[in-house]
Amino acid sequence: DIQMTQSPSSLSASVGDRVTITCRASQSISSYLNWYQQTPGKAPKLLIYTASSLQSAVPPRFSGSGSGTDFTLTISSLQPEDFATYYCQQSSSAPWTFGQGTKVEIK
Amino acid sequence: QVQLVQSGAEVKKPGSSVKVSCKASGGTFNSYDFNWVRQAPGKGLEWMGGIIPIFGTTNYAQKFQGRVTITADESTSTAYMELSSLRSEDTAVYYCARLLRQLGGSFDIWGQGTLVSVSS
């Protein structure tokens, strides 16, 4: 199985800050990396697919980059609605696996 | 616009089974790849398995092999996930999600989740 490791596990930031979350795969997954946002009590929401493609209706302050084993999710200017937990997920080979999550909290 | 609506919360005894449903509206049911992902309280996301109704093919995570059965009923556009031999560690929110190959195999649409509580 491909292991996905996110860092940090949590972070505190202020509205307007630039935030970067990293995700590392245990082996190369090309660009088969997706990012999700989850708020408490809600289902995850797809933000980014294939490492850098923005899902429809997702604000452009979200961006993704990377290939191979190292990936990043960047929020260019954090908004109040962005305080949530973010997960990466590889779709290179089954079983599909997720990172452990990064919780973005208000400073 | 495809929507996935899941069945309601369940309370089960250890050793029993649970069957959760996921009804799709909009789109072409048979062509989709429906998957199940669970989330234990305060924990991360864990993929359990999936089904492509048009082919009738299923794919399960090794961890759940022998305990999980995923099926689909084309006539009602509903996918099901049955988990047997329940234990307390199976207490979780269970989500159905559509895997879309055109979006790199990402899960683009999710159901609202079904809480399954296992307790004696």
Side-chain angles (χ1 to χ4, degrees), chain A residues 32 34 36 38 42-44 46 49-50 55 87 89 91 94-96 98 100, chain B residues 35 37 39 43-45 47 59 95 99 101 103-108 110-111:
Chain A
Y32 290 101
N34 311 301
Y36 302 85
Q38 187 179 35
K42 299 291 187 181
L46 177 64
Y49 60 95
T50 57
Q55 170 66 332
Y87 294 93
Q89 174 246 332
S91 51
W96 319 122
F98 293 85
Q100 81 278 15
Chain B
N35 287 252
V37 175
Q39 186 171 38
K43 301 297 185 182
L45 302 166
W47 177 75
N59 189 12
Y95 294 102
L99 186 156
R101 304 284 171 186
L103 296 187
S106 60
F107 300 114
D108 71 321
W110 295 67

Side-chain angles (χ1 to χ4, degrees), chain B residues 10-93:
Chain B
E10 303 262 12
V11 179
K12 294 293 182 179
K13 299 285 189 190
S16 67
S17 299
V18 67
K19 191 170 186 177
V20 182
S21 67
C22 171
K23 184 172 176 62
S25 61
T28 308
F29 178 78
N30 282 352
S31 65
Y32 296 148
D33 185 341
F34 288 96
N35 287 252
W36 291 88
V37 175
R38 78 176 187 179
Q39 186 171 38
K43 301 297 185 182
L45 302 166
E46 181 175 36
W47 177 75
M48 299 179 69
I51 186 167
I52 304 176
I54 194 170
F55 299 126
T57 54
T58 54
N59 189 12
Y60 299 126
Q62 180 95 9
K63 174 177 179 177
F64 300 101
Q65 285 275 4
R67 272 210 312 145
V68 68
T69 305
I70 297 174
T71 56
D73 182 342
E74 301 170 34
S75 67
T76 59
S77 298
T78 303
Y80 299 90
M81 185 283 299
E82 184 170 21
L83 188 63
S84 62
S85 302
L86 289 170
R87 36 213 189 223
S88 58
E89 310 89 87
D90 294 318
T91 294
V93 175

Side-chain angles (χ1 to χ4, degrees), chain A:
Chain A
D1 297 3
I2 298 174
Q3 307 302 316
M4 307 301 294
T5 304
Q6 288 181 234
S7 61
S9 295
S10 65
L11 65 90
S12 296
S14 301
V15 172
D17 283 354
R18 182 181 181 89
V19 169
T20 298
I21 298 168
T22 65
C23 178
R24 175 165 288 176
S26 60
Q27 65 189 70
S28 178
I29 56 171
S30 185
S31 294
Y32 290 101
L33 190 283
N34 311 301
W35 290 97
Y36 302 85
Q37 176 193 64
Q38 187 179 35
T39 53
K42 299 291 187 181
K45 171 188 173 183
L46 177 64
L47 297 176
I48 302 280
Y49 60 95
T50 57
S52 60
S53 297
L54 197 65
Q55 170 66 332
S56 176
V58 172
R61 62 180 180 273
F62 291 94
S63 64
S65 65
S67 67
T69 61
D70 294 312
F71 302 86
T72 60
L73 172 70
T74 299
I75 309 172
S76 61
S77 178
L78 201 62
Q79 298 303 298
E81 60 268 30
D82 300 338
F83 292 95
T85 300
Y86 294 85
Y87 294 93
C88 62
Q89 174 246 332
Q90 65 83 17
S91 51
S92 174
S93 64
W96 319 122
T97 47
F98 293 85
Q100 81 278 15
T102 296
K103 187 174 184 179
V104 177
E105 298 175 299
I106 301 172
K107 181 183 281 185

Side-chain angles (χ1 to χ4, degrees), chain B residues 96-117:
Chain B
C96 63
R98 182 180 76 169
L99 186 156
L100 201 58
R101 304 284 171 186
Q102 298 93 310
L103 296 187
S106 60
F107 300 114
D108 71 321
I109 296 172
W110 295 67
Q112 82 277 18
T114 297
L115 175 62
V116 175
S117 300

